[in-house]
Amino acid sequence: LRPFRLYPNPSPEGNVAPRRGRRWMVNRNGRTAPSWSAAHQVFKRREARVRMWRVRMAFGLVFLLAAAEGSPPQARDSATHSPGAAMVGPDPRTAWGGLPYVDLFPLIFGESMSERHFKDWMRMDKKTFAELVDQLKFTKAYSDIFDPETGLPYPNPRGGHGRKTTLQREMACALYVLSGNEPLDRIAFLWGEGFRSSGLVEAVVDRFVEALHELHNTYICWPRTDDEVEAVVKGIKALRGVPHCLGIMDGTHIEIKGKRGQPFGDRAFTSYKKRQSVILHAVVDANGLFMHASAGHPGSMSDSVIFAQLDILDWILGTISRSDMHSGRFILCDSGYCLRPFSIRGYAYDTDDEKEQVLNAYVSSTRVVVENAFGRLKARFRRLRYMI
């Protein structure tokens, strides 16, 4: 460390030299506090310890996997290392050389896997996963590759090796990717044959998302009939007593990797938190179920501008003007949206009017439903916390 700087009052004890590893300075209020340089040094030492812990954990996992096979990666037959001998198995010079590929599919879908642990892996129970497979196997994204009846891939018309995966295995791998933030190359190592590279894993996830997008209008839809509208209004009123509400609207930021290669990308995708992100905009009901969702908007756009560009505007106007029964219905939103004839937001938080403060309390306690919906979505599928 550099020598300490002595100030008129370098430490709380007076003119006593500060203890080793800590620097003190006098702030504008005349009080002594640790300097920024000392805090930065503490942070750097903590970061070095975390980095060393990660390196030790990585080496520990490598040797643990090697020990599971009965011998370390370097233990080779003498004939294998002799000059001119053919290399058997993976190249030991690679990062994972000599280690066997792990297959999580038999472990997760085995009979010994309990319902609770299965939900921890796949983020849903076994019954929901089976229903999801039955729904997606007839989509164009999967029916062109896999047989809907058997779930096996179609034979390669050109001969040679075909796909070494099945429909159920691909969907399980895609859910595993979306449920965490592990690197794709590590996931490729954990799912055995058919997922030997990060590119194959990425293609599997893209196919799964494309199949989900084909069915999104079936599950994420605006109420179509008068009975469905009335059910949504009664559900929201039962929360905190807010009447005539058709839905609760808000947006959330999903952090992405910086687009530094594009000249305008940094400013377009930089949010008010100074991070690169895209916006997920949604409208939910009283149970937190999504009635409308739109994603991919640049992080610099405001909620009001996004809402003006969505097709939900026509749906809301059509629902309100469908008959006299829907007169006075509105969408509940926050202060980020501009006022419209069909939207209501709270007053300014620094208001002194008692009635306005009461209304703000009712609006905030009702709007927490959409915040909880976003929280459950990001907690169940943790890949949404940071999109690579």
Side-chain angles (χ1 to χ4, degrees):
L1 300 178
R2 291 178 296 178
F4 295 112
R5 294 181 180 180
L6 297 180
Y7 293 90
N9 189 15
S11 67
E13 293 78 15
N15 291 325
V16 181
R19 57 190 177 89
R20 183 176 179 84
R22 171 83 64 167
R23 299 182 186 179
W24 296 85
M25 61 181 298
V26 181
N27 54 22
R28 60 183 180 182
N29 297 325
R31 300 178 180 178
T32 57
S35 64
W36 283 105
S37 59
H40 181 69
Q41 292 172 5
V42 173
F43 172 76
K44 296 298 289 184
R45 288 195 296 267
R46 185 182 305 168
E47 186 180 16
R49 288 196 299 267
V50 172
R51 190 185 302 112
M52 180 58 64
W53 176 80
R54 290 177 178 175
V55 170
R56 292 177 179 176
M57 183 182 65
F59 277 105
L61 290 177
V62 168
F63 286 106
L64 180 63
L65 291 174
E69 290 298 312
S71 61
Q74 292 80 7
R76 300 284 181 176
D77 188 68
S78 59
T80 305
H81 290 278
S82 59
M87 181 64 67
V88 180
D91 188 356
R93 295 171 296 179
T94 60
W96 300 96
L99 294 178
Y101 277 88
V102 183
D103 193 358
L104 293 179
F105 185 81
L107 173 65
I108 298 175
F109 289 85
E111 297 180 356
S112 59
M113 179 64 65
S114 62
E115 190 73 27
R116 174 177 172 272
H117 290 92
F118 183 89
K119 191 173 182 178
D120 291 340
W121 284 97
M122 295 287 100
R123 318 306 296 168
M124 61 182 65
D125 53 19
K126 297 180 180 180
K127 181 180 179 181
T128 305
F129 182 82
E131 294 176 356
L132 184 63
V133 172
D134 293 338
Q135 291 287 334
L136 297 183
K137 66 182 180 180
F138 294 105
T139 59
K140 182 176 176 56
Y142 282 125
S143 60
D144 293 343
I145 302 176
F146 298 97
D147 186 2
E149 300 297 332
T150 62
L152 299 177
Y154 291 114
N156 191 353
R158 298 182 180 180
H161 298 285
R163 293 180 178 270
K164 297 182 179 180
T165 61
T166 60
L167 174 62
Q168 192 178 20
R169 184 185 290 266
E170 280 205 2
M171 292 179 58
C173 179
L175 287 173
Y176 183 84
V177 173
L178 297 176
S179 64
N181 284 325
E182 293 187 51
L184 297 183
D185 53 351
R186 186 182 302 174
I187 296 176
F189 175 79
L190 294 175
W191 281 85
E193 287 189 293
F195 308 94
R196 289 303 182 96
S197 65
S198 59
L200 293 176
V201 176
E202 185 176 0
V204 167
V205 176
D206 292 342
R207 193 178 300 114
F208 178 74
V209 174
E210 182 181 354
L212 290 178
H213 191 267
E214 295 183 28
L215 299 178
H216 78 281
N217 290 329
T218 306
Y219 298 95
I220 304 177
C221 58
W222 192 255
R224 300 182 178 91
T225 62
D226 295 341
D227 295 337
E228 294 178 354
V229 173
E230 195 65 25
V232 173
V233 173
K234 289 182 179 179
I236 297 178
K237 185 179 180 179
L239 294 176
R240 296 290 293 173
V242 178
H244 311 300
C245 184
L246 282 173
I248 309 170
M249 179 171 57
D250 200 3
T252 182
H253 287 263
I254 300 175
E255 190 175 350
I256 61 174
K257 191 176 181 179
K259 298 179 177 293
R260 298 183 178 180
Q262 301 180 7
F264 188 68
D266 280 339
R267 288 180 295 171
F269 289 88
T270 302
S271 64
Y272 67 96
K273 297 182 179 180
K274 306 302 180 182
R275 298 177 181 177
Q276 303 289 312
S277 64
V278 294
I279 298 177
L280 170 63
H281 188 275
V283 181
V284 302
D285 61 1
N287 298 321
L289 300 179
F290 290 89
M291 299 187 298
H292 182 272
S294 178
H297 307 282
S300 61
M301 297 180 64
S302 63
D303 295 337
S304 181
V305 174
I306 295 175
F307 179 65
Q309 299 177 358
L310 297 178
D311 53 357
I312 190 178
L313 195 61
D314 299 333
W315 297 351
I316 296 175
L317 294 176
T319 304
I320 294 176
S321 61
R322 187 181 299 165
S323 63
D324 294 336
M325 186 188 70
H326 300 294
S327 59
R329 302 296 166 84
F330 60 89
I331 296 292
L332 193 62
C333 55
D334 60 1
S335 58
Y337 296 87
C338 60
L339 285 176
R340 295 177 180 269
F342 50 83
S343 64
I344 288 182
R345 67 180 188 182
Y347 290 95
Y349 289 100
D350 56 350
T351 179
D352 297 330
D353 194 320
E354 184 178 355
K355 294 183 179 180
E356 295 180 356
Q357 293 177 359
V358 172
L359 178 63
N360 286 345
Y362 276 99
V363 170
S364 299
S365 58
T366 306
R367 280 194 58 259
V368 74
V369 176
V370 66
E371 302 291 348
N372 293 339
F374 288 140
R376 288 192 299 267
L377 180 65
K378 292 184 178 180
R380 176 167 293 189
F381 302 104
R382 291 185 291 270
R383 183 69 65 172
L384 294 177
R385 295 183 178 179
Y386 181 79
M387 299 295 290
I388 302 178

